[in-house]
Amino acid sequence: MKKLLSIIALTALVAGLPAGSFAADKKPKATPAAAPAATPAATPAATKPIPLYSQVSTIDAAGKSFTHKNRDGKEVKFVLTATTEVKNGSAVAKFEDIKVGDWVSGLRLKKSDTEYEVLKITKFGPKTEKPAGAPPGASPKPAEKKTS
């Protein structure tokens, strides 16, 4: 019984010590004002690149952007920045080389439901189709235009 009372008394004594005596052992906490403000673009989900494969519906050369019209009629805008890398296969290309109707593939970041920032364009041109029975890694060939 004496041991139990001794433990309780010791616990009360330690709990009653001023908090400043242990402050040197703890790391200082960051104040909320010092933390950067969270924006939708700064969220972890928004910083992960998303694959891009879209058909170009319209081009805004002055704004360096293009749009894609979804099946439901909603237009999605893709904006290129100064850091956007544009290639067509292994050849270096320019934004001006992309034409309306081309299929563009690469990587993008989501800015909103209807706007994306393009990080990289790796290929553009007419839609490509894989040959029937081709292995998954086989390179596709351009779709042929049907003439009547």
Side-chain angles (χ1 to χ4, degrees), residues 14-116:
V14 170
L17 288 177
S21 64
F22 294 105
D25 297 331
K26 295 181 182 178
K27 292 183 180 179
K29 292 184 180 179
T31 60
T39 60
T43 58
T47 59
K48 184 176 180 184
I50 307 167
L52 163 68
Y53 188 69
S54 297
Q55 186 175 25
V56 178
S57 299
T58 62
I59 296 177
D60 177 13
K64 281 214 163 192
S65 65
F66 63 91
T67 60
H68 167 79
K69 191 174 242 183
N70 290 340
R71 290 182 186 149
D72 60 357
K74 183 171 72 170
E75 285 193 355
V76 180
K77 184 176 182 180
F78 297 95
V79 180
L80 281 75
T81 64
T83 59
T84 302
E85 181 182 346
V86 181
K87 289 188 174 187
N88 195 2
S90 61
V92 177
K94 296 183 281 186
F95 173 73
E96 293 78 20
D97 297 334
I98 301 171
K99 306 293 180 222
V100 172
D102 282 352
W103 285 84
V104 178
S105 61
L107 294 174
R108 62 191 168 156
L109 287 177
K110 186 173 185 174
K111 295 297 179 181
S112 71
D113 287 340
T114 59
E115 187 172 334
Y116 291 88

